[in-house]
Amino acid sequence: LSREPEASVSNMDLIRAGWFSEVSDLWPGQSLSLKVKEVLFHQRSLYQDVLVVDTTNHGKALILDGIIQCTESDEFSYQEMIAFLPLGAHPNPQKVLIVGGGDGGVAREVAKHPAVEQFVQVEIDALVIEQSKKHLPFMAKGFESRKLTLVVGDGFEYMKNHQREFDVIITDSSDPVGPAVNLFTESYFGLLKTALKPNGVICSQAGTLWSDLPHVKQTIRNCQTHFPLVEYAVSSVPTYPNGQIGYLVAALDPDLDLTHARHPLEELGLRYYSPEVHQAAFVLPAHFKKELANLK
Ligand code: SAM
């Protein structure tokens, strides 16, 4: 695990003349900027550089190692999709594991699903949890669920000791830098397989097709080593690179249909996810469909 914070990266260096710019080698030659009203928190944790800002048009934002994790204006798209794509495809998701997700937004969504009886969240960085509770309560309210057991630790290590336990495992990871590098590897998908019950479903944050195509392909291949059924879905999130994020959804039962929702969930009052959006999310533009089909 890469646990050493990169001394050269400071989020504060990325704020110039009142604008935060998301500059990263992960999307070379381009960057999204947010106009900053106020810096609410900045500190380097044991694992990463943690910044919370209030912005003029997107509300509060969490930024780790210079990369936007979520903003108040559009986080619901990501949190609802990464939670309800697997929960919606599983026949009866009673026990769920979340890896990462230190802002609490995915916990907020998982807690809403009527079939979920208990869920565990393993987040490596206590500072992210602490500051999200303080500055991002609209997401961190997920931590208040009585169904939740919160563990501060490494998701990779946690799964080594938990076998055939979960119906659904959601990896709400940061991008593959710092502590999250391991969460995209072949051995990680091997651990997901053993931590899942035989009819289990996983969902992982899986980058964007526009600037990360080689990384997306490699992540799919890593997953295919252990899972017979692997699908890729997308949703629109304006403050993520290229305005889009992908989700790798996979199952151990090759006959399970992951692309259709089994539960209507109308009573939950969701803002992005619906059965129609679930189905549409797996329909990729022709070029990307061809690129990903060649892997299988
Ligand atoms: N929605 C965000 C995105 O796609 O950019 C991710 C949100 S969440 C803040 C990501 C979390 O994953 C971070 O809080 C980070 O500390 C956590 N994380 C990274 N590596 C981890 C690991 N090995 N085990 C557990 N949590 C990890």
Side-chain angles (χ1 to χ4, degrees):
L1 250 189
S2 157
R3 286 220 173 80
E4 289 302 314
E6 290 175 39
S8 57
V9 180
S10 169
N11 285 325
M12 295 305 277
D13 295 341
L14 299 173
I15 300 179
R16 295 263 160 81
W19 288 80
F20 167 81
S21 293
E22 190 185 49
V23 177
S24 169
D25 291 341
L26 293 172
W27 32 88
Q30 67 180 69
S31 93
L32 179 87
S33 296
L34 298 175
K35 191 162 190 190
V36 175
K37 263 202 307 203
E38 190 184 353
V39 174
L40 300 172
F41 178 80
H42 177 239
Q43 192 177 306
R44 190 175 286 281
S45 75
L46 194 57
Y47 302 99
Q48 54 210 340
D49 190 286
V50 181
L51 174 67
V52 185
V53 295
D54 197 6
T55 69
T56 56
N57 295 66
H58 288 279
K60 292 176 184 161
L62 173 67
I63 297 162
L64 299 178
D65 281 344
I67 297 178
I68 297 165
Q69 304 293 304
C70 32
T71 78
E72 197 167 350
S73 69
D74 58 7
E75 53 86 15
F76 64 94
S77 165
Y78 174 81
Q79 324 280 12
E80 288 185 13
M81 289 296 276
I82 200 167
F84 289 107
L85 286 174
L87 293 175
H90 193 288
N92 189 17
Q94 293 180 330
K95 189 165 181 187
V96 177
L97 172 65
I98 302 168
V99 175
D103 49 64
V106 174
R108 180 191 70 198
E109 299 306 323
V110 169
K112 288 178 187 170
H113 197 291
V116 174
E117 292 173 356
Q118 48 174 317
F119 64 106
V120 178
Q121 177 166 356
V122 185
E123 161 62 55
I124 204 166
D125 198 336
L127 191 66
V128 176
I129 298 171
E130 178 197 292
Q131 291 304 314
S132 299
K133 283 182 179 170
K134 188 166 176 192
H135 296 294
L136 311 168
F138 50 94
M139 287 190 285
K141 68 181 179 187
F143 296 129
E144 291 162 17
S145 172
R146 276 180 294 171
K147 298 179 191 174
L148 171 66
T149 303
L150 183 59
V151 177
V152 175
D154 181 355
F156 200 92
E157 294 302 317
Y158 179 88
M159 276 195 293
K160 287 182 184 166
N161 303 315
H162 293 267
Q163 306 210 333
R164 291 183 159 242
E165 207 177 303
F166 298 99
D167 298 302
V168 167
I169 304 178
I170 298 166
T171 304
D172 179 18
S173 164
S174 1
D175 286 306
V177 285
V181 167
N182 275 7
L183 305 184
F184 297 84
T185 58
E186 192 237 295
S187 51
Y188 182 70
F189 287 103
L191 285 172
L192 285 171
K193 179 180 178 174
T194 51
L196 267 188
K197 288 183 190 164
N199 64 344
V201 177
I202 60 160
C203 186
S204 290
Q205 191 265 81
T208 165
L209 292 167
W210 290 99
S211 50
D212 294 347
L213 192 55
H215 163 71
V216 171
K217 284 182 172 179
Q218 189 54 50
T219 309
I220 291 175
R221 281 194 201 98
N222 292 345
C223 186
Q224 283 173 336
T225 307
H226 298 282
F227 286 81
L229 180 61
V230 181
E231 303 283 359
Y232 189 83
V234 293
S235 85
S236 140
V237 186
T239 60
Y240 280 163
N242 308 300
Q244 193 189 62
I245 189 93
Y247 310 90
L248 198 151
V249 191
L252 293 173
D253 174 0
D255 298 323
L256 199 67
D257 178 5
L258 295 171
T259 63
H260 287 81
R262 290 165 185 266
H263 321 278
L265 302 175
E266 279 153 8
E267 73 282 9
L268 301 186
L270 302 178
R271 297 164 72 196
Y272 193 97
Y273 178 91
S274 69
E276 292 78 19
V277 169
H278 183 125
Q279 195 174 339
F282 292 92
V283 179
L284 301 179
H287 165 69
F288 292 123
K289 183 180 173 188
K290 203 169 148 198
E291 287 281 349
L292 300 191
N294 289 340
L295 299 177
K296 292 176 184 166

